[in-house]
Each structure stands twice: as C-alpha cells, then as structure tokens.
Amino acid sequence: MSNREWLLSGCRLSRHLDERKSNNFNWLRLVAALLVLLSHCYGFGHQDPFQRLTNDLVRGSDIAMPVFFFLSGLLVTQSLDHSPSRLNFLWRRVLRLYPAIFLFVALTALVMGPLVTTLPMRDYFADPLFGQYWQTALLVRVYHHLPGVFTTSPHGRLVNVSLWSLPLEIKLYAMLFLIGLLRSRLVLLGAMFAGIAFLLAGMVLYTPVETMLKMVFGPSFLLEPYTRFSVYFLIGVVAYEYRSRIVVYNYWLFLLPLAWLIAAWIPFPEILSLVLLPATVLFAGLKGSRLLSKITPRPDLSYGIYIWGFPVQQLIITNWNIGNDGLVFGLDLVFTLPLALLSWYAVESPALRWKTKRPSSRTASRTKLRI
C-alpha cells in the first residue's frame, strides 16, 4: 500500500461499535478516570501536569469530562437502540449506576466516616448531615459532607467532589428516553441539534443566558455544567445516529494536532473543540493500536476509580503529611484500584447480569426504538 493509499484509508464507526476488541473505548474511559484522579490529587490550588504543559489553560479533568460525556452519549444511545424495550433501557441505566453508588455511600457513611470523624460516635450518627448524606445514593442531588469528616483537609470537607456529574448524566438519560418515546428519528435529530445550538449560544452569551435560566429554575441554577459537558453528550448521540456515515481516516493523525494548535490561538477555542475532541476520541478509539485493547483490563474499572479516587485521596492527605502531589497520585492509585475491583466484581458485574431479566419486555419488534 502506498503512502497516499494509507493516508486515505479509514474505518467506519458503525463497524467498530459493537465489538469491544475492535475499539479502544473502554481504554479511553479508563484513561479519563485516571485523569480526573490526577487532577484532584494536585488539588484546587496547584497546577497538574497538563496545566504546566498548556500554561495553565487546561487541567487533566478538563479533558477527561468531555471524553466521558461524549462516549456516554455515543454508547448510551447504542444501549437504547439495542434494548428490547424502553423500560429495559431504563433498567440497564439503573443497574449501571445505582448498585455501585449504594455501595459507595454505605461504606463511606458506615465505615470510613466513623473511623475518621472528629465527633463522638453518638454525635456522628445523630447529626443531620449523616441522614442527609444517604440521599446521595438517589443521584438526584449530591451531598458532599459527613459530620466531622475531613475537617482538616486542605481540599475542604468534601467526601467526593466527583459525584456532581452523575445527576447531570441521569438528566441526560431521561431526556434521551423521553425523546425516544416519540419513536421519530427526525424529532430526535431535531432535538439534538437544537440542544447543541442552545448550548453553543450559552457558551458565547454565558451571563445573559444563565440569568434568564435562573429566573426559570431558581437562583441556584448553574449553566456551566450544561454548556461545558452536556453538549458533548448530545454530539455523542448525533455521532451514533450517523455512525454508518462517519469514517475515521488515517490522515487525521496529522490533521488533528494541527487543528488543536490552531484552536489554541482563536477566540472561543471551546467552540472548535466541540468538533476536535469527538474526532480525537473517535480516532483514538478506532485507530488506536490493537495493543491497547489487549492491555485494557477486562473489568471496567473506570466507574469505580471515578467514584472512589477522591475520598481515598482525602484519607491520604489528612492522615499522612505528604507534600508531593505526584506521590499522592501514586498512593491514591494503589489504594483506589482494589476498591474499583471490589466495586466491579462484587456489585457492578453481578448487577449487569440482570440487565435482560427485569423488567420483562415484550417482543423487541413492538418496543425497540429505531434511530
């Protein structure tokens, strides 16, 4: 094959979505979870390695979260398309998120909290914060504090700052489910493109749009999570819809770095990143080395790392006087990996075995959404 033929050769997204061995999406989610872990270990006042490389423009988590949301939109829409019924789709989402969160909330409230709290046991369990914290398991609203826990941490009293994204994920799943009820490809695409356009307007006209929405949803509403991350979820939905038309070419290997350099020098670079980041994720996911798929752990540890990394970090920095952020990251990884394995093998994987058992579905031909 000539160099020109190699540059113009590509692979179609639809051919690689269903086969885990033919894509590196699990590896990308694992890397994204590790980037979140890395950013948090460098604290809220320190520069992580990505900030140093980009002159304080981008944190590791600023890369990781859009990757998470784009892949979520892509793969969750695939789950909706492959589910035998819409109720089964909801059941799959419940099984994927809630069992691991219930385990996390129970262990942090009943084991970690009593071990590290500065309060007497009676006061700890009687404190209103203890009862309020359990509501986090519902993933409607996240409560970050336990009574007397992490009071001396330089990162604040937060038990887990990472969980903020999960209620937003659930809202996006609900939106996808409701639009799917209409069983219309045209309505789905129209809603997705309208949502993307609205979020783009929110990026450019941030203050007036947020002020308008505060009048509707209340003064505590924040537009930033939607403009920064929800748009990537919607782009993932659209990418799935056009999966048979999206071809990832080898010449992207040279085009994407050049485009990223240009994006760094233009106004509103986040607008261009809405195209470049999904394209980069697809290139890494489909054109990455086959070696990556071989070395990716068989258990999906990304979720466990994501939810356990921050409280483990808090335990490390509040109990050991370590001034090296890189060492904190290394120790965090050492202690978080066993918890992620426990979460996968004890809770997540067993729960997912029930995804086709309940709730019972009717025939797929009558209920399956075609998008």
Side-chain angles (χ1 to χ4, degrees):
M1 181 184 294
S2 67
N3 290 337
R4 185 175 183 276
E5 290 174 330
W6 181 85
L7 286 172
L8 296 178
S9 65
C11 53
R12 202 170 299 275
L13 175 59
S14 57
R15 293 186 57 188
H16 294 266
L17 268 177
D18 293 329
E19 290 294 329
R20 175 182 174 182
K21 292 183 179 180
S22 67
N23 66 65
N24 295 309
F25 292 142
N26 280 352
W27 178 81
L28 288 173
R29 289 193 297 188
L30 179 62
V31 170
L34 293 175
L35 287 179
V36 172
L37 195 79
L38 177 70
S39 290
H40 288 164
C41 286
Y42 277 77
F44 302 104
H46 298 175
Q47 288 185 328
D48 71 17
F50 286 89
Q51 286 175 293
R52 295 171 186 172
L53 287 172
T54 62
N55 196 24
D56 205 25
L57 292 176
V58 178
R59 290 179 64 86
S61 57
D62 293 333
I63 301 171
M65 297 310 298
V67 171
F68 270 133
F69 276 92
F70 170 71
L71 286 176
S72 179
L74 179 70
L75 300 176
V76 168
T77 309
Q78 180 189 35
S79 175
L80 175 62
D81 193 30
H82 289 183
S83 297
S85 71
R86 291 182 291 278
L87 284 178
N88 181 262
F89 165 73
L90 292 180
W91 178 241
R92 290 178 183 222
R93 294 302 93 208
V94 168
L95 291 175
R96 188 66 191 97
L97 292 181
Y98 281 96
I101 285 297
F102 282 136
L103 175 67
F104 170 82
V105 170
L107 290 181
T108 51
L110 299 177
V111 179
M112 185 194 74
L115 288 175
V116 303
T117 184
T118 57
L119 300 178
M121 285 297 98
R122 178 178 295 180
D123 294 344
Y124 172 81
F125 288 109
D127 195 294
L129 283 178
F130 177 79
Q132 187 183 63
Y133 178 78
W134 283 89
Q135 298 177 49
T136 298
L138 301 175
L139 293 181
V140 175
R141 180 180 176 184
V142 176
Y143 295 89
H144 294 288
H145 301 128
L146 280 169
V149 173
F150 301 142
T151 56
T152 61
S153 170
H155 296 172
R157 296 177 54 201
L158 301 170
V159 173
N160 196 335
V161 70
S162 301
L163 298 186
W164 71 266
S165 67
L166 298 183
L168 176 56
E169 281 263 353
I170 290 175
K171 292 174 185 175
L172 292 168
Y173 298 162
M175 173 207 66
L176 190 61
F177 172 80
L178 292 174
I179 294 174
L181 289 175
L182 300 174
R183 301 174 62 85
S184 169
R185 175 185 178 186
L186 184 61
V187 171
L188 174 70
L189 285 174
M192 295 304 103
F193 281 117
I196 291 170
F198 176 77
L199 293 170
L200 287 175
M203 287 182 180
V204 179
L205 305 171
Y206 186 88
T207 300
V209 171
E210 184 178 60
T211 301
M212 177 186 67
L213 292 176
K214 282 181 180 293
M215 296 173 62
V216 178
F217 297 107
S220 62
F221 177 85
L222 295 176
L223 181 61
E224 183 179 16
Y226 296 90
T227 56
R228 293 188 62 193
F229 304 121
S230 296
V231 66
Y232 286 102
F233 181 92
L234 301 183
I235 293 172
V237 175
V238 173
Y240 180 79
E241 169 59 26
Y242 286 101
R243 63 196 179 278
S244 61
R245 302 182 187 180
I246 295 176
V247 180
V248 177
Y249 293 99
N250 287 330
Y251 65 78
W252 290 15
L253 177 65
F254 308 101
L255 180 64
L256 287 172
L258 177 62
W260 278 113
L261 286 174
I262 294 173
W265 293 94
I266 65 172
F268 301 109
E270 62 272 15
I271 303 296
L272 188 55
S273 73
L274 296 179
V275 175
L276 293 182
L277 186 133
T280 303
V281 170
L282 291 178
F283 184 85
L286 303 186
K287 285 291 187 179
S289 168
R290 291 185 178 181
L291 176 64
L292 295 178
S293 62
K294 293 180 179 179
I295 65 175
T296 302
R298 294 192 65 183
D300 186 356
L301 302 181
S302 58
Y303 191 35
I305 291 173
Y306 185 74
I307 62 178
W308 282 105
F310 191 80
V312 170
Q313 169 204 318
Q314 287 281 61
L315 287 170
I316 292 171
I317 63 176
T318 54
N319 288 281
W320 297 337
N321 185 21
I322 300 177
N324 187 306
D325 294 325
L327 180 57
V328 172
F329 171 67
L331 291 171
D332 195 357
L333 190 58
V334 166
F335 291 112
T336 297
L337 283 177
L339 290 170
L341 286 167
L342 171 68
S343 177
W344 175 256
Y345 283 111
V347 179
E348 296 173 56
S349 182
L352 290 175
R353 294 172 191 158
W354 288 81
K355 65 184 181 181
T356 58
K357 296 181 180 180
R358 297 180 185 277
S360 60
S361 59
R362 300 178 181 177
T363 59
S365 60
R366 293 182 61 187
T367 58
K368 186 178 180 181
L369 174 66
R370 298 290 183 182
I371 56 176

